[in-house]
Amino acid sequence: MTLDSTDLFGPVLDRRVVPVLVPMPAPRAYSYAVPEGMAVEPGSIVQVPLGPRFVVGVVWDGEDDGGVDPKKLRAIEEVFDCPPLSPEMRAFLDWVAAYTLTPPGLVARMALRAPAAFDPEPMVEALRLTDMRPERMTTARERVLARASDGLSWTRSGLAHAAGVSSSVIDGLASQGVFETVFMPPPPVVALPDPAFAAPRLEGPQRQAAVDLLAAVEERKFSVSLIDGITGSGKTEVYFEAIAATLRAGRQVLILLPEIALTASFLERFQDRFGAKPAEWHSDLAPRTREKVWRQVTTGQVRVVAGARSALFLPFEELGLIIVDEEHDPAYKQEDRVFYNARDMAVVRGRIGNFPVVLVSATPSVESRVNGEMGRYRPIHLPTRYGDAALPDLGIVDMRRHPPERGGFLSPVLVNHIGKTIGRSQQALLFLNRRGYAPLTLCRVCGHRFQCPDCSSWLVEHRFRGQIQCHHCGYSERTPEACPECGTLDHLVACGPGVERIAEEVERHFPDARTIVLSSDLMGVKRLRLELAAIARGEADIVIGTQLVAKGHNFPNMTLVGIVDADLGLANGDPRAAERTFQLLSQVTGRAGRTGLKSLGLLQTYQPQHPVMQAIVSGDSDAFYQREIHERERAALPPFGRLASIIVSADSRGDAEGHARGLRNAAPRVDGIAILGPAEAPLALIRGRHRFRLLVHGRRNSDMQTFVRAMIAAGPKERGSISVQLDIDPQNFL
Ligand code: ADP
Ligand code: ZN
C-alpha cells in the first residue's frame, strides 16, 4: 500500500491565512500566514512565532476574519509530522473552554503537554549479523553469535544483555564486520494487551452486570453506565470485560484513576488480565516516557491508557471507551488554571466522540446517583462481595463514653483492638486525614498562636522535620523554643493530632510493633509505592496514614481499620461535607477484610447519631443517599441547581472587596439566578493575597456561563494586582 499525504492527513487546504490557537490566555485564535508550499489543515500542530519566541499551536477551525493585512501577518514556521488533532478533539477542547469559561488556548495546551513528541520518534540504531565471522573465536563471542543467529536486529545493549557479555565484546565483533548497522522502529512503551489473555469466570450478579455493560459497549454509541457496587464486589473485573470488548472492536480505551501514581497494583492486575500493562499517564512520569506515551497514543500504538485526570486531554487516535474509576473522588476536580471536573468532562468527551462512558464507584457522587435514578445513566448494581471476602464488621466508638487518656487521641476501645490484631500477627490501619504532628501550636503563657505570615491559616507542626509549616503556601520555619510574643521558653503546646502525633501515641502503647506513617509530605511517590508494596507483603504491623492509604490498595492481612476522627470533615461549611465524609470513611473501612479474614472497622466519633456514622455502620447507604438527595433538592443544590464561584484576590483587602462588589453590581438581572456575597473567603488570605468570594446560584436549567460572562464584561476591569478566578460547578468552598 502506498500512502501519500492526502491519505494521511485528508485534503490539503489552500487557504493562505489560518487561525492558530496558541497556548496563551488569549480569548481566541490568532491569524497566521501559510507560507508557499506548506500544507496545513485544521488540527495540524505547528510552530509559530509569538512575540520574541516560538510556541507550539494548533491550526483551528473557522474562517480567518480577514481583519489583518496578509502582508503584515507572521508566518507559520513549521508543521510537525504528527497526526492532526481530530475534529472531535477540537470540538471537545472548544466545549471545555466554553463551559469552564477558560481561554481556549489554555485548554488546548493541556492536549499538547509533551514538548518533544510532535516529531516522529527517531529510529533506533541496531545490529544485524552479516556473513563475516571473526578471525578468532572466544566463548563470549560464540554466545553472541548464537544469540544473533536468529537473523533479527538487536540493539547493542540488548544483545550484550541477552548473551550475557559486556558490550565491548559486541563492539569487537562489529569492528570486524560481523555486524551491519540497521535502523529499527522505536519499541512500544507497552506491549499490546490481549483481550483473551486471562478472562475470568464471572460469578452471580457479576454476570448480569457484564451483560448489561457489554450491551452498552457494543452499541458503539454514546451512553453513560454507572457501576455501583461495594468494594470487592468485582466492579473492576466487570469493567475489564468492557475494555476487552472495546479492544476487540479495534478501539482505544482510557481508564481514569484518581491516584494513578500510587496504584501500581492496578497496573499489575491489568497485566494479569490482559497480558500487558496499560500505558501510564500522570505528572510523575519521566519526560522521555511522557513523550513516548503521548506520541504512541496519537498514532494508535498504545491501546490502553491508565491515567490521572489530565489523560482526558490526550489526542487518542480512535478512543472508544472511557472508564472513570472512583468517579466520586474529589481528585478529579482540577483547581488550577483550567477549573474542570474530569468525571464530567469524560462524559462530554464520550458524547462528542459518540462512544460509551462507564462511571464506577462503591459510593457514587450524589450527582451520578441522581442521574442513575432519573434514567440519564444506566445503573449497574453489584450488591455482594466476591467469593469468601466478607465485609468488615463496622462499629462506632462513642468518644464521650470512652474518652482517650489525657493527652491522647485513641480511645481504650481502639487501643485494645489494635493489641488483639497485632497479637494475631495481622495488620491494623489508623486513618487520620491530617499531615504533620499538630494542626496548631500555641503559647501556654500568653496564648499566642503560630500563624502563617502570608495566609489565614495556622502553622502545622512537623516534628519529624523540626519545622512548623503552612499547608497552603509551603511557608516553614524551625519550630521555635520560645514564644515570639512573650519570650517564655518551653511553654509551647501542640493542639490536636496529626498522623505523626498518633504514631507517637501508638509507639507508647506498642513499643515493639513495627509502626509506619504514610503521608505525602514524608516521602516521594517512588518511596510511597515501595512502602505500600512492603505493607502488602506484611512488613508492618500498624500503619498510620492520611487519605492516600484509602485509595485502591489491597492489603491482604489488614483486619482492623480505625478512623481516628470520623467527625473531621463534617463541619467545614461545604455542602458536600456529609457526602464526602461518607465516601472517604466507606473507602477507608473497605480496606479491611479483602481476603476472607474476619475484620473490623471502628469509627471514633463524638456524634454517634450523625446520619453519616449511622449509614456506615448500618450498611444502609440507600437511606443516607435518599436523605442527602432530598436535602439537595430542597436547597436547589447540585444536581438540582447550579453553582459557580468567583474568587477575587488582590494584594490589598480593599481592592479585592471593591472589585468583588463592582462585579456584583454589574451582574445582569436574570430570573432564577441569584448571587451570594461578596463575602470574605474562609481562607481570607493565601500567599499574601486577600480573597473575596461570590457564589452564583442558579436553577438546573440556568445558563450560568452567559450570566457570568455578562457580569465580567460589564464589571470593573481587572487592574493592578486584582485577579478573578471562575469556577463552574465548584467543589471547594474555601
Ligand atoms: P471492586 O473493583 O468492586 O473493589 P474487584 O474487581 O477488585 O472488586 O474484585 C475484588 C477481588 O475479587 C479481586 O481480587 C478480584 O480479582 C476478585 N474477583 C472478583 N470477581 C472475580 C471473578 N469473577 N473471578 C476471579 N476473581 C474475582
Ligand atoms: Zn501560608
Side-chain angles (χ1 to χ4, degrees):
M1 187 173 65
T2 58
L3 289 174
D4 64 29
S5 65
T6 314
D7 293 327
L8 277 176
F9 298 135
V12 171
L13 302 184
D14 59 0
R15 262 192 301 163
R16 305 324 303 160
V17 179
V18 292
V20 174
L21 210 51
V22 294
M24 304 282 294
R28 58 185 197 92
Y30 293 148
S31 297
Y32 281 90
V34 184
E36 206 67 42
M38 180 185 280
V40 296
E41 61 173 306
S44 296
I45 299 177
V46 295
Q47 183 146 52
V48 292
L50 186 74
R53 303 176 296 144
F54 284 98
V55 297
V56 170
V58 188
V59 177
W60 215 242
D61 302 87
E63 288 302 311
D64 180 71
D65 58 12
V68 193
D69 173 3
K71 290 198 203 74
K72 297 210 179 111
L73 284 174
R74 300 180 79 180
I76 294 176
E77 175 76 12
E78 184 191 350
V79 190
F80 291 101
D81 181 3
C82 173
L85 298 188
S86 66
E88 291 81 26
M89 190 65 192
R90 300 194 309 270
F92 175 63
L93 298 175
D94 271 338
W95 202 97
V96 173
Y99 187 84
T100 59
L101 299 174
T102 310
L106 289 187
V107 180
R109 182 165 71 179
M110 296 198 292
L112 303 174
R113 281 276 165 82
F118 307 132
D119 280 320
E121 291 179 74
M123 299 287 266
V124 176
E125 211 176 292
L127 300 172
R128 192 166 56 201
L129 210 55
T130 62
D131 294 336
M132 302 280 281
R133 287 296 167 267
E135 289 155 19
R136 194 173 50 81
M137 204 46 121
T138 63
T139 51
R141 288 179 166 183
E142 263 166 22
R143 282 211 300 277
V144 174
L145 291 178
R147 261 286 163 213
S149 64
D150 57 9
L152 299 177
S153 312
W154 292 79
T155 63
R156 180 167 162 273
S157 59
L159 181 55
H161 192 78
V165 302
S166 76
S167 44
S168 62
V169 177
I170 313 278
D171 292 344
L173 288 168
S175 69
Q176 297 185 37
V178 175
F179 289 110
E180 59 183 347
T181 302
V182 293
F183 288 90
M184 54 181 202
V189 272
V190 281
L192 280 183
D194 172 6
F197 185 77
R201 263 181 56 104
L202 297 180
E203 305 280 344
Q206 295 178 347
R207 268 191 237 133
Q208 189 57 44
V211 168
D212 292 349
L213 190 61
L214 288 179
V217 170
E218 274 151 16
E219 280 170 12
R220 297 188 61 154
K221 62 185 180 57
F222 173 63
S223 65
V224 184
S225 304
L226 173 62
I227 307 183
D228 161 2
I230 55 175
T231 29
S233 57
K235 296 186 293 300
T236 313
E237 221 62 64
V238 168
Y239 77 63
F240 276 178
E241 293 314 291
I243 294 175
T246 308
L247 291 175
R248 282 195 199 96
R251 306 175 90 191
Q252 290 166 294
V253 176
L254 168 61
I255 309 166
L256 293 178
L257 298 164
E259 290 287 348
I260 171 75
L262 293 178
T263 36
S265 58
F266 176 85
L267 305 178
E268 274 149 32
R269 179 147 176 217
F270 186 94
Q271 182 167 31
D272 292 344
R273 168 66 182 82
F274 293 100
K277 286 190 174 151
E280 282 177 74
W281 183 264
H282 52 78
S283 54
D284 285 301
L285 284 186
R288 284 278 295 135
T289 313
R290 196 176 173 76
E291 279 149 14
K292 274 176 168 291
V293 172
W294 191 92
R295 180 83 198 176
Q296 296 183 9
V297 165
T298 63
T299 58
Q301 248 176 306
V302 162
R303 305 312 297 170
V304 181
V305 174
R309 60 183 183 228
S310 58
L312 190 57
F313 292 90
L314 282 170
F316 285 85
E317 188 208 24
E318 200 195 359
L319 188 56
L321 174 69
I322 303 181
I323 309 277
V324 186
D325 204 348
E326 311 284 6
E327 67 90 26
H328 63 276
D329 200 294
Y332 284 123
K333 182 69 192 273
Q334 170 161 309
E335 289 165 347
D336 176 27
R337 286 164 210 269
V338 184
F339 287 59
Y340 71 95
N341 186 323
R343 189 255 333 269
D344 298 341
M345 295 306 115
V347 171
V348 171
R349 190 152 184 198
R351 198 178 65 214
I352 291 174
N354 198 27
F355 59 76
V357 176
V358 180
L359 310 182
V360 184
S361 176
T363 51
S365 61
V366 166
E367 282 86 345
S368 297
R369 265 290 283 229
V370 171
N371 281 328
E373 288 175 10
M374 312 272 263
R376 281 193 286 269
Y377 294 173
R378 189 184 308 227
I380 295 179
H381 292 294
L382 284 169
T384 49
R385 266 197 172 180
Y386 169 76
D388 2 299
L391 280 173
D393 288 329
L394 295 172
I396 280 174
V397 178
D398 183 343
M399 297 298 273
R400 298 166 308 184
R401 293 180 42 215
H402 307 283
E405 56 188 51
R406 240 181 98 73
F409 302 91
L410 303 175
S411 78
V413 180
L414 182 52
V415 172
N416 183 18
H417 278 287
I418 298 171
K420 284 192 198 153
T421 305
I422 62 175
R424 288 192 304 264
S425 303
Q426 293 170 350
Q427 293 170 303
L429 169 68
L430 297 182
F431 171 79
L432 177 64
N433 211 6
R434 248 201 208 134
R435 292 180 281 139
Y437 183 84
L440 167 67
T441 305
L442 54 77
C443 170
R444 218 181 323 212
V445 176
C446 73
H448 173 76
R449 298 169 167 217
F450 287 81
Q451 193 176 351
C452 176
D454 297 323
C455 304
S456 44
S457 65
W458 307 127
L459 291 174
V460 178
E461 182 182 356
H462 286 251
R463 198 161 279 190
F464 291 174
R465 290 229 182 92
Q467 287 181 332
I468 47 180
Q469 291 179 4
C470 171
H471 282 183
H472 294 287
C473 71
Y475 170 88
S476 69
E477 57 183 81
R478 287 206 28 209
T479 310
E481 284 158 12
C483 174
E485 198 66 33
C486 67
T488 314
L489 268 176
D490 295 330
H491 273 71
L492 301 179
V493 278
C495 301
V499 281
E500 294 178 8
R501 195 169 191 180
I502 298 300
E504 198 180 83
E505 188 173 348
V506 162
E507 275 156 17
R508 250 192 340 264
H509 287 293
F510 306 104
D512 299 327
R514 294 167 303 171
T515 300
I516 174 169
V517 177
L518 287 185
S519 174
S520 56
D521 59 303
L522 295 175
M523 48 192 94
V525 165
K526 278 219 184 79
R527 251 297 289 295
L528 272 172
R529 273 194 185 195
L530 293 176
E531 296 288 1
L532 288 164
I535 293 168
R537 287 194 304 272
E539 292 170 19
D541 303 310
I542 305 172
V543 181
I544 299 155
T546 57
Q547 65 171 6
L548 63 89
V549 300
K551 309 241 165 127
H553 317 295
N554 206 348
F555 305 125
N557 206 30
M558 182 88 59
T559 58
L560 174 68
V561 171
I563 311 283
V564 174
D565 184 355
D567 309 329
L568 185 59
L570 283 176
N572 63 4
D574 178 338
R576 293 187 181 84
E579 177 190 343
R580 288 258 192 274
T581 302
F582 171 72
Q583 287 159 341
L584 187 57
L585 299 187
S586 304
Q587 201 166 15
V588 180
T589 51
R591 294 300 112 218
R594 295 179 60 97
T595 42
L597 297 172
K598 193 168 162 38
S599 63
L600 177 66
L602 288 176
L603 281 65
Q604 295 198 140
T605 174
Y606 287 90
Q607 312 174 58
Q609 295 312 319
H610 194 287
V612 168
M613 309 306 153
Q614 291 301 321
I616 290 173
V617 292
S618 69
D620 186 1
S621 60
D622 282 346
F624 173 74
Y625 275 107
Q626 286 326 314
R627 193 174 164 283
E628 200 56 27
I629 289 171
H630 180 74
E631 290 288 307
R632 297 268 183 102
E633 191 161 17
R634 210 178 40 78
L637 285 169
F640 302 100
R642 304 196 54 201
L643 297 174
S645 121
I646 301 172
I647 294 183
V648 180
S649 61
D651 290 345
S652 90
R653 191 176 181 281
D655 282 355
E657 183 170 18
H659 193 87
R661 278 196 195 296
L663 284 177
R664 188 196 167 119
N665 294 338
R669 289 193 209 304
V670 174
D671 201 31
I673 299 186
I675 304 181
L676 310 169
E680 191 159 56
L683 276 169
L685 188 69
I686 297 186
R687 294 174 195 272
R689 296 186 58 85
H690 297 264
R691 304 166 76 241
F692 276 79
R693 298 185 61 109
L694 293 160
L695 193 64
V696 184
H697 183 196
R699 293 195 192 126
R700 212 188 112 70
N701 57 1
S702 299
D703 184 348
M704 305 290 276
Q705 281 80 5
T706 301
F707 181 87
V708 174
R709 239 187 275 112
M711 173 168 164
I712 301 287
K717 295 284 152 284
E718 283 172 41
R719 51 181 173 74
S721 69
I722 294 169
S723 101
V724 177
Q725 237 172 36
L726 307 178
D727 185 359
I728 302 286
D729 307 333
Q731 299 270 334
N732 181 339
F733 295 86
L734 299 176

